[in-house]
């Protein structure tokens, strides 16, 4: 039996049957199963005498800078969402921390027969970021911007969303608003910082350097920031991530400062714990499933030699109990 015989019997094109037998990712799972089962039943064998995919498509998810178990939730959730869509399309997906790469990115990908990668958590100082500029391997970056023929990026609308949060706080009477930065070398944290500054300008609030605390993406960082902000005049604090905000709320309580009665607090990410912390956290919800789906789509598009792209996903502000009207008089 030949490929054209299978195509005729199943009323499919020869190219579709050929792709199904060779594991192409632009053929549906149902069609692949139909073709493979029919071929097996009728004695068809590929050149290497196997009915399975001759060249298994392999992808990897690489991640970096997971400060703690809690802060890793956002990246791991994204990795799982991406993996779900990849496996639905018959890809094998393997997860690696970037620290396990002991050679160049290009060599690592080729030695492990990876066709592409989804990467999250890089900051400006990562050596890998420089390698990616000239990579020939289709690669999607999360919350980074990099130009390259085989580099696509998917980002949150960080600046605009934080600007809206500043506007929301101003409407509640807050004009002394602090910010906790996650990482000076992080693209995403710097975008959220930019949104903080722009939001204040748009709302006629003077930028005060003393209202900014430079920490990292950890609960401990938020906790330590509480000691700093207790001696300032801020009535609200915007955090670059939920995990920072959760530590901040705990730290403020330890200092005898009530949230939101004394200081309002906002986060970013909408981690599962955000709705259960007391008070529940006002934050920005990212559609992680959509980001995972779009990341997979961007990657496979480049694997089919289409142009790289940048996609920006809007976030949704989730109002909870951690913000309130400012009860302090403005100075």
């Amino acid at each position: 039996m030949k490929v054209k015989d299978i195509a005729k019997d199943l009323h499919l094109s020869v190219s579709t049957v050929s792709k199904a037998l060779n594991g192409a990712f632009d053929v549906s799972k149902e069609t692949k199963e139909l073709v493979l089962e029919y071929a097996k039943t009728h004695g068809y064998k590929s050149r290497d005498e196997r009915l399975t995919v001759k060249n298994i498509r392999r992808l990897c998810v690489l991640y970096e800078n997971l400060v703690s178990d809690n802060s890793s939730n956002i990246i791991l959730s994204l990795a799982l969402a991406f993996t779900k869509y990849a496996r639905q399309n018959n890809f094998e997906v393997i997860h690696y921390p970037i620290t396990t790469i002991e050679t160049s990115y290009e060599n690592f990908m080729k030695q492990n027969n990876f066709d592409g990668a989804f990467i999250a958590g890089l900051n400006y100082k990562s050596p890998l970021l420089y390698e990616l500029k000239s990579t020939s391997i289709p690669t999607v970056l999360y919350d980074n911007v990099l130009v390259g023929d085989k580099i696509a990026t998917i980002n949150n609308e960080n600046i605009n969303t934080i600007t809206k949060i500043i506007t929301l706080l101003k409407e509640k009477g807050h004009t002394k608003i602090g910010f906790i930065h996650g990482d000076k070398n992080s693209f995403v944290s710097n975008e959220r910082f930019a949104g903080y500054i722009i939001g204040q300008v748009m709302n006629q609030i003077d930028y005060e350097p003393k209202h900014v605390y430079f920490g990292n993406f950890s609960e401990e960082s938020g906790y330590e920031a509480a000691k700093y902000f207790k001696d300032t005049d801020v009535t609200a604090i915007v955090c670059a991530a939920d995990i920072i905000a959760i530590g901040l709320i705990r730290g403020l309580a330890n200092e005898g400062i009530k949230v939101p009665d004394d200081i309002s607090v906002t986060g970013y990410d909408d981690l599962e714990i955000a709705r259960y912390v007391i008070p529940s956290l006002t934050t920005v919800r990212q559609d992680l499933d959509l980001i995972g789906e779009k990341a997979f789509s961007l990657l496979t598009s480049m694997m089919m030699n289409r142009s790289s792209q940048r996609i920006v996903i809007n976030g949704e502000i989730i109002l909870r109990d951690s913000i309130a009207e400012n009860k302090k008089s403005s100075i």
Side-chain angles (χ1 to χ4, degrees), residues 96-108:
Y96 286 99
I98 288 172
T99 52
T100 62
I101 299 178
E102 296 179 349
T103 180
S104 69
Y105 175 70
E106 207 86 358
N107 286 339
F108 170 80

Side-chain angles (χ1 to χ4, degrees), residues 183-203:
D183 180 353
K184 289 182 179 180
N185 296 306
S186 163
F187 175 84
V188 60
S189 195
N190 281 319
E191 275 208 327
R192 292 171 190 174
F193 184 38
Y196 164 74
I197 295 173
I198 292 170
Q200 290 188 107
V201 172
M202 290 176 61
N203 285 282

Side-chain angles (χ1 to χ4, degrees), residues 79-148:
L80 291 174
F82 172 86
T83 300
K84 178 182 74 173
Y85 287 102
R87 287 177 177 166
Q88 285 176 359
N89 287 274
N90 297 324
F91 282 83
E92 179 184 5
V93 183
I94 300 179
H95 297 191
Y96 286 99
I98 288 172
T99 52
T100 62
I101 299 178
E102 296 179 349
T103 180
S104 69
Y105 175 70
E106 207 86 358
N107 286 339
F108 170 80
M109 296 295 287
K110 290 177 180 178
Q111 289 171 2
N112 290 281
N113 296 315
F114 287 125
D115 298 286
F118 176 45
I119 303 178
L122 292 184
N123 65 28
Y124 296 142
K125 288 190 174 181
S126 173
L128 181 58
L129 203 59
Y130 296 98
E131 287 188 58
L132 293 175
K133 293 179 180 179
S134 58
T135 186
S136 62
I137 307 294
T139 304
V140 175
L141 288 178
Y142 167 69
D143 264 344
N144 264 292
V145 173
L146 193 65
V147 177

